[in-house]
Amino acid sequence: MASVVRRPGFEEHRRFRSKRNNRCAQCDVFLPVETMVLGKPLDGGRWHIVCDPCGTVSGGVRPEDRVGRAATGAARSAPRSTSAGGAAPRPKPSRHWSTLVRYLTACVEWESLPDPVRQRDQHLWTPLDLWIESVLSGNDQLLPASPELTPLFEELGEFEAVYYGWPVVVVTDGGGVPYVAPLFLRQLDEPGGAGVPLASVVPQINTKLLDRRWWRAENREAIEAAIPDAVLDFGKAVALTALAETLAAAFGFPVGGLDPTALLNRTSTGELFRPQVPGIFNLAMACRGLMDAPARNLIKDLNWMAEATDVDRSAARFLFEQPPECTGVAESCAITLNDAQQQALASAATAPLTVITGPPGTGKSQIVAGIVAEAWLREESVLLASTNNAPVDDVIEDKAKAVHPALLLRTGNKEKQTRLRSQLETLLAEGVGEAPSGDPGDLQPPRMELDQLRRELRSYLQGAQRLLDAATARDRARRLVWPDGQSPADIQYTALRRRAERALGTRWRRLAGWRARRCLRSVGLADSAVPIADLTGWAAAEERYQAAAEVKLREVDVERMCADLTAAEAAWQDVSRDVVVGRLVQGYAAGREALQRLVDVLGDDSSNRSAMGEVMRAVKGWATSALSVRGNFDCRAGSIDLVVIDEASQCNLAQVLPLAYRAKRLVVIGDPHQVAPVVTTASAQLHRIAAQHGTTHEALVEVHQTHGEDSAFTAFAARVPGGPYLLDEHYRCHPEIIGFCNEQFYEGRLRVLTEVDVEDRSPRGLEWRDVIGTTAPGPAGQSSVNEAEAAAIVDWIRRAEVPPEAIGVVTPFRAQAGQIGRGLRRAAPDGRFEKVKIGTAHTFQGAARHTMLFSAVLSKEASAGTVGWLEKERNLVNVAVSRAQRHLVVFGDRVELQRLGATTLVALANAADGDGVAPAAEPTPAVAAVAALADRGIAAKVGGSVEGYATTLTIRGPQGTMLDVEVTELAPGHDPVRVVRQLAWRDARVKAMGRPVVRVPGWEAYLEPDAAVDRVAARVRK
């Protein structure tokens, strides 16, 4: 209902009938047609309605006019007073927030069941001596007690439970080891006098049996399709049997023999039957399983957050609203960062939400360390987290320690807390060192010098590009009027343009014609049929060119300016590091007592959280895994100043939501073109969960908040105006290798700046090896293998002169990884190849090797389902390829891949035939002018490459030496300073490989081609 609110200054209130129903914008309830509204106030304000459930005021009333609840988000959590003087009702959370949180909670609960247990671990599972199954397919709420069940309940751990289920499914892992689990299951409570009660309210499909590790790619789509869209028919024996048979067929098992009213129980020997081979069996069973402890902690956080009314104090609110744009600058830069990273750092220092996309090898860990150091300077608490331990540990061990060993402290699960206690005890005993003499005021001079150098270089580059653009536009316009390109001299272009525009704008036809002819006569075109519009365009283009040509360009040395800029950045970084370390030393001194209390309570979650909150007031930098956050940090909105989520593309939204809720400001870093979150819930079940919680899967897809199709990265990236910041400079892979990823996944937006060691004579680049083999099912029909490719890879490793620890073998299929591993062990029983890392793309996420071998597997007999799965999961190829630092060897059957339509792998084969560089585009006029070297007797080839670095012109000198000629032209929409610095670093890489580089400004190449050609020719003759 809507309510009457009386306030002084109102002369009346009355009952009022609206013409339509009104929906409250906050809690989304309908207000009835007949509502009580405020009458017209004496000061001429507007009528408005107050919603009883949430107190929201509609009708445009000022925030201070609201009664019982303020308009600000902070005050919305305060309870409204009651007229009777009783207890104030608790404010209700936002409907959209609670819907999302409860939907994600249900998804996590669905996936938190125990894993299948090994068949040989008979102390963890047992078949049950039952003739009829009536708990799942009937309505019984009590399981009969039996001697087989009692041992399973003995000494259960904190996150252990006993489950009952039917029918029994046996699957095998990549090594052929059998595992057993029920297809449908319910959790059991402790046995009582009359039997064993059921702990879970409803039965479930065992989602852990749907995990990708158990099934071939083509089976997964059939399994997902077999999950019903409607509520499962538990309690109905016929319907449940039909569903079990449908799933059995999707698993690839023989169908038939399933009947809950006639279970198998004992063998002919009188013992309970324990199946050992893959299949589905008409048995009831019980198993002891370890519930997913991190998932349980996550569920506790989500359940708390579902009732939260203070979400608007946290960065989680940006899932529902667009964050404001911030244009602040970073105060410091304590670690070496390129221009793109510095821009992202500036946003992270001030913006409430920053999203950064970092393709492979672009320095994600570098920017994270810079963000943490900047937070120390601002005296802000900062928490780094990810679901993957590797990126967090990489930042701490490799990047943060470059600033100071105590910049970032690592906490997490019990093991991590034990290590933290030892580290803190050492820090308390030895201290963190003395503070440098740096002062925050020292940052201003180098920052001002840096900004001044940037402005000067940007001004020159923009002037040079304006001149080139104006010259080319002038010549295009001139040819429309003067086909031979020669126009009269001494023309006043401004006056001519004005007369031509006047003629063009004249409406009276005869007068317009007379004025147009007069303009044409004034330039000697009396008998010409040149349109007056072309004459106008030519005069305007000549005018713009004259203005651009007035800028003095010859006196500027771009190479020197870039060197000065680099030196100024180094000075700024040195001062920044001293100031940050100074703040760090002060923080550890101020937090010494709090750190000691934290050491004393580590391991006790509730005390640990309280102590951690106190410590973070002084010691600012912390890191944890996303699923350990509950045991270390209080679940309070905005309790941490800045939270950084690394590898967010691998995190689902449920895992990151508790972190976003704890954050005042949030930085999300990831790459949507790499490994996505692993989700085992079938699509049909996700649709059903969404419907059960008052929304639809389609609505969640629209806002990028699904559990199955989105990640934490896509959810927050969708809210950022203008899109995420792109880290566009790549430094890790050989240019030929990353060239494939750049074209296939990143639209050619990466600037490849990898150093190539040509002194090292070992193979490098991208190589394809054709292997004719056959794709076959893996052990027990699981995954896929190609024995010919596996043998070829083993032979390559045996013959290669590469240390085993520098080699990695990656494949999309787990069974193929097992096949290769077994082959290496047979080839070297002495274990000399044990350090060769073998696995799928998921194994190598965040890792890299000097040399990578890639097994495509797909060949003859590969099914359309397997090919379709790989194309759907093509990001796995991106991850696999980008793990190779120097040399990537791909083993596959090119002809069969083309026949199968494996588009991504065919593109990889084609890239191996080339040089990792996209075909050269049509030469620009400036490049064409320099290419006229042929008129001087010098052969110049347009296009080409050096170790994957594209070249504009390649010239062979008299002694056979090769020369790279580059013409500097800047595309619109890009920061010219960043582009020119990238070009300078690119030239340095090419020069280091023994190829001299001559760079000619685009305006000089176009306007003074003879001088530019003379300079290049002179260099060739040297």
Side-chain angles (χ1 to χ4, degrees):
M1 289 290 294
S3 62
V4 174
V5 181
R6 294 179 180 271
R7 293 200 319 277
F10 279 77
E11 59 186 6
E12 66 176 32
H13 69 274
R14 62 188 175 86
R15 189 170 295 275
F16 156 84
R17 181 171 292 276
S18 173
K19 293 182 179 179
R20 60 180 176 82
N21 282 332
N22 296 279
R23 183 187 288 273
C24 174
Q26 178 69 19
C27 67
D28 206 35
V29 302
F30 276 107
L31 304 179
V33 172
E34 190 174 68
T35 60
M36 297 298 290
V37 301
L38 292 175
K40 184 176 180 181
L42 296 174
D43 62 359
R46 290 174 288 178
W47 293 6
H48 63 280
I49 303 171
V50 181
C51 174
D52 265 350
C54 74
T56 299
V57 180
S58 61
V61 175
R62 298 187 304 273
E64 60 268 26
D65 289 335
R66 294 187 55 178
V67 176
R69 183 171 294 205
T72 61
R76 271 206 295 271
S77 60
R80 287 185 290 147
S81 60
T82 59
S83 58
R90 180 180 178 183
K92 293 189 177 182
S94 161
R95 171 181 175 272
H96 301 294
W97 167 256
S98 59
T99 296
L100 175 64
V101 175
R102 290 190 173 103
Y103 158 78
L104 293 174
T105 304
C107 292
V108 175
E109 288 176 337
W110 185 261
E111 295 182 343
S112 62
L113 298 174
D115 284 318
V117 297
R118 286 185 300 184
Q119 198 276 345
R120 67 171 178 263
D121 292 337
Q122 298 187 7
H123 64 290
L124 296 178
W125 77 281
T126 180
L128 297 178
D129 189 12
L130 296 177
W131 292 96
I132 297 175
E133 198 296 301
S134 58
V135 171
L136 301 170
S137 59
N139 296 314
D140 286 349
Q141 297 298 309
L142 201 67
L143 189 69
S146 64
E148 298 88 9
L149 274 173
T150 304
L152 296 179
F153 285 95
E154 294 177 357
E155 298 181 359
L156 286 175
E158 180 182 3
F159 290 103
E160 282 189 303
V162 177
Y163 294 84
Y164 162 82
W166 167 90
V168 174
V169 178
V170 179
V171 292
T172 56
D173 65 5
V177 177
Y179 284 72
V180 63
L183 180 58
F184 308 121
L185 79 172
R186 294 181 77 170
Q187 184 178 337
L188 299 178
D189 211 338
E190 293 284 348
V196 183
L198 303 169
S200 55
V201 178
V202 295
Q204 292 178 260
I205 293 179
N206 190 351
T207 55
K208 290 303 176 73
L209 276 176
L210 309 181
D211 194 282
R212 68 178 66 205
R213 58 185 156 160
W214 309 117
W215 312 109
R216 300 184 67 192
E218 58 266 31
N219 290 108
R220 294 173 202 156
E221 292 189 9
I223 292 168
E224 184 166 319
I227 303 295
D229 293 326
V231 176
L232 300 182
D233 289 322
F234 289 109
K236 300 177 181 179
V238 175
L240 200 61
T241 301
L243 176 57
E245 291 178 344
T246 301
L247 286 168
F251 294 157
F253 295 148
V255 177
L258 295 179
D259 184 356
T261 65
L263 301 181
L264 299 172
N265 54 1
R266 295 184 179 274
T267 65
S268 58
T269 62
E271 296 182 354
L272 292 174
F273 173 57
R274 291 179 179 266
Q276 302 181 37
V277 296
I280 187 165
F281 301 89
N282 191 34
L283 288 169
M285 65 169 284
C287 62
R288 177 172 172 164
L290 183 66
M291 293 184 291
D292 192 340
R296 294 299 174 187
N297 279 329
L298 175 59
I299 289 169
K300 291 177 182 178
D301 262 357
L302 292 172
N303 284 333
W304 168 266
M305 291 159 52
E307 300 298 325
T309 59
D310 53 358
V311 181
D312 47 5
R313 296 181 186 178
S314 76
R317 70 186 188 274
F318 296 122
L319 290 169
F320 308 99
E321 64 182 65
Q322 183 172 297
E325 294 189 46
C326 294
T327 57
V329 297
E331 296 181 21
S332 69
C333 183
I335 196 166
T336 303
L337 299 178
N338 58 45
D339 292 316
Q341 291 168 331
Q342 288 185 28
Q343 186 178 3
L345 175 66
S347 175
T350 56
L353 175 64
T354 300
V355 182
I356 304 169
T357 177
T362 55
K364 291 191 290 293
S365 57
Q366 192 86 352
I367 182 64
V368 170
I371 290 171
V372 173
E374 172 76 11
W376 269 98
L377 179 70
R378 294 174 178 269
E379 298 185 325
E380 292 181 338
S381 55
V382 57
L383 175 64
L384 166 64
S386 178
T387 54
N388 187 349
N389 284 319
V392 174
D393 294 337
D394 180 53
V395 172
I396 294 173
E397 298 299 326
D398 188 31
K399 307 300 180 183
K401 286 186 177 179
V403 179
H404 192 281
L407 183 75
L408 201 55
L409 297 180
R410 178 73 154 92
T411 186
N413 58 21
K414 301 299 182 185
E415 178 188 352
K416 298 294 183 184
Q417 289 180 5
T418 300
R419 294 182 183 178
L420 174 62
R421 177 185 288 109
S422 175
Q423 183 182 6
L424 290 180
E425 288 172 346
T426 301
L427 289 173
L428 289 169
E430 301 177 0
V432 293
E434 296 183 0
S437 58
D439 182 84
D442 297 339
L443 289 167
Q444 194 66 16
R447 176 79 231 188
M448 292 177 62
E449 180 185 0
L450 186 60
D451 290 342
Q452 178 63 26
L453 288 170
R454 287 183 182 276
R455 283 194 296 270
E456 292 176 1
L457 181 55
R458 182 174 290 107
S459 176
Y460 163 77
L461 295 172
Q462 290 173 340
Q465 192 60 38
R466 274 196 302 270
L467 179 58
L468 176 59
D469 293 342
T472 54
R474 175 203 64 179
D475 290 349
R476 285 195 302 269
R478 181 182 287 177
R479 283 191 290 272
L480 295 175
V481 179
W482 310 94
D484 59 358
Q486 299 296 320
S487 61
D490 300 328
I491 294 177
Q492 297 297 321
Y493 294 110
T494 302
L496 176 62
R497 175 183 56 79
R498 290 173 178 169
R499 292 197 304 270
E501 288 176 347
R502 186 182 181 191
L504 194 62
T506 302
R507 294 185 179 182
W508 189 18
R509 181 182 297 180
R510 293 183 63 183
L511 180 58
W514 178 79
R515 286 175 173 171
R517 288 190 295 274
R518 188 179 66 167
C519 288
L520 292 171
R521 282 197 302 272
S522 68
V523 293
L525 295 172
D527 299 328
S528 173
V530 173
I532 191 63
D534 289 349
L535 186 69
T536 306
W538 166 61
E542 293 280 6
E543 193 177 2
R544 286 193 296 270
Y545 171 72
Q546 286 182 343
E550 292 177 358
V551 179
K552 304 296 182 183
L553 299 175
R554 292 190 176 281
E555 295 81 2
V556 177
D557 185 343
V558 176
E559 189 173 344
R560 180 190 59 77
M561 291 187 73
C562 288
D564 291 346
L565 197 58
T566 302
E569 282 182 338
W572 183 41
Q573 289 159 12
D574 289 341
V575 176
S576 298
R577 189 176 297 108
D578 287 345
V579 174
V580 168
V581 172
R583 286 285 171 86
L584 181 147
V585 172
Q586 295 170 9
Y588 274 90
R592 184 174 183 84
E593 293 183 4
L595 285 169
Q596 184 60 62
R597 282 193 289 273
L598 178 61
V599 169
D600 295 339
V601 300
L602 274 172
D604 180 350
D605 284 357
S606 59
S607 300
N608 180 39
R609 289 193 292 266
S610 176
M612 183 66 76
E614 186 179 353
V615 166
M616 292 184 79
R617 296 190 183 100
V619 179
K620 301 300 183 180
W622 294 87
T624 185
S625 63
L627 296 178
S628 298
V629 66
R630 178 176 175 81
N632 294 276
F633 304 93
D634 274 337
C635 191
R636 291 186 291 111
S639 57
I640 303 173
D641 294 322
L642 179 64
V643 172
V644 181
I645 311 296
D646 198 4
E647 297 291 0
S649 296
Q650 299 178 48
C651 309
N652 61 52
L653 183 56
Q655 295 165 337
V656 166
L657 203 59
L659 288 159
Y661 177 71
R662 288 169 167 86
K664 288 182 182 175
R665 299 187 4 258
L666 184 66
V667 177
V668 177
I669 306 174
D671 179 9
H673 299 293
Q674 295 193 57
V675 170
V678 176
V679 174
T680 59
T681 307
S683 177
Q685 180 62 21
L686 290 173
H687 281 70
R688 185 163 53 251
I689 292 174
Q692 290 170 352
H693 290 84
T695 184
T696 66
H697 184 76
E698 291 72 21
L700 293 168
V701 167
E702 186 175 350
V703 292
H704 299 277
Q705 293 174 6
T706 65
H707 184 66
E709 299 178 23
D710 291 291
S711 65
F713 179 87
T714 59
F716 283 100
R719 311 302 300 169
V720 178
Y725 289 93
L726 171 67
L727 305 183
D728 61 349
E729 295 182 10
H730 177 93
Y731 301 96
R732 185 172 70 199
C733 304
H734 188 282
E736 290 182 7
I737 297 170
I738 197 63
F740 164 78
C741 301
N742 195 15
E743 293 304 317
Q744 285 290 313
F745 298 94
Y746 301 106
E747 300 174 340
R749 299 172 66 194
L750 299 184
R751 286 283 186 176
V752 181
L753 300 172
T754 309
E755 294 186 53
V756 179
D757 183 8
V758 294
E759 300 297 327
D760 182 354
R761 298 301 179 183
S762 64
R764 56 183 180 266
L766 179 56
E767 178 185 351
W768 180 276
R769 294 204 172 191
D770 256 317
V771 177
I772 300 175
T774 300
T775 305
Q782 179 200 47
S783 190
S784 298
V785 297
N786 187 315
E787 294 185 0
E789 287 184 18
I793 288 172
V794 170
D795 185 62
W796 191 99
I797 294 172
R798 288 176 56 248
R799 297 173 182 272
E801 298 179 359
V802 181
E805 61 271 16
I807 300 175
V809 182
V810 65
T811 175
F813 302 95
R814 184 178 289 105
Q816 181 73 347
Q819 181 81 9
I820 295 168
R822 290 189 293 273
L824 280 177
R825 288 191 291 274
R826 287 194 298 269
D830 57 358
R832 66 179 183 273
F833 294 137
E834 285 183 355
K835 292 185 178 180
V836 175
K837 186 172 183 177
I838 307 171
T840 64
H842 294 84
T843 305
F844 283 91
Q845 181 68 44
R849 285 290 187 273
H850 175 281
T851 298
M852 289 293 299
L853 311 179
F854 181 96
S855 177
V857 179
L858 301 183
S859 187
K860 291 179 181 177
E861 308 302 329
S863 69
T866 303
V867 177
W869 168 80
L870 187 57
E871 282 301 311
K872 182 180 177 182
E873 302 290 335
R874 66 191 300 266
N875 284 358
L876 298 177
V877 179
N878 181 35
V879 174
V881 170
S882 59
R883 302 308 97 186
Q885 294 171 301
R886 181 177 176 86
H887 191 202
L888 174 68
V889 187
V890 186
F891 296 79
D893 188 335
R894 184 196 307 261
V895 173
E896 285 298 315
L897 289 173
Q898 290 174 335
R899 181 186 65 81
L900 292 167
T903 308
T904 305
L905 292 177
V906 170
L908 182 59
N910 294 337
D913 287 341
D915 51 15
V917 177
E922 187 71 21
T924 64
V927 172
V930 179
L933 282 164
D935 298 337
R936 307 286 185 94
I938 299 173
K941 174 189 174 185
V942 178
S945 70
V946 182
E947 294 285 348
Y949 281 104
T951 57
T952 302
L953 291 170
T954 304
I955 298 172
R956 183 179 295 275
Q959 284 79 37
T961 58
M962 307 298 289
L963 182 70
D964 175 22
V965 180
E966 299 296 325
V967 178
T968 303
E969 298 180 78
L970 304 176
H974 296 273
D975 179 7
V977 174
R978 181 189 300 183
V979 171
V980 167
R981 297 186 77 190
Q982 289 172 344
L983 292 176
W985 290 324
R986 175 262 176 207
D987 292 350
R989 303 287 190 262
V990 174
K991 290 176 183 177
M993 291 185 284
R995 178 73 61 89
V997 179
V998 177
R999 185 163 288 279
V1000 180
W1003 66 269
E1004 182 182 356
Y1006 187 75
L1007 293 172
E1008 301 175 4
D1010 290 340
V1013 168
D1014 286 341
R1015 185 147 58 91
V1016 175
R1019 182 66 181 269
V1020 172
R1021 285 190 287 271
K1022 288 182 180 180

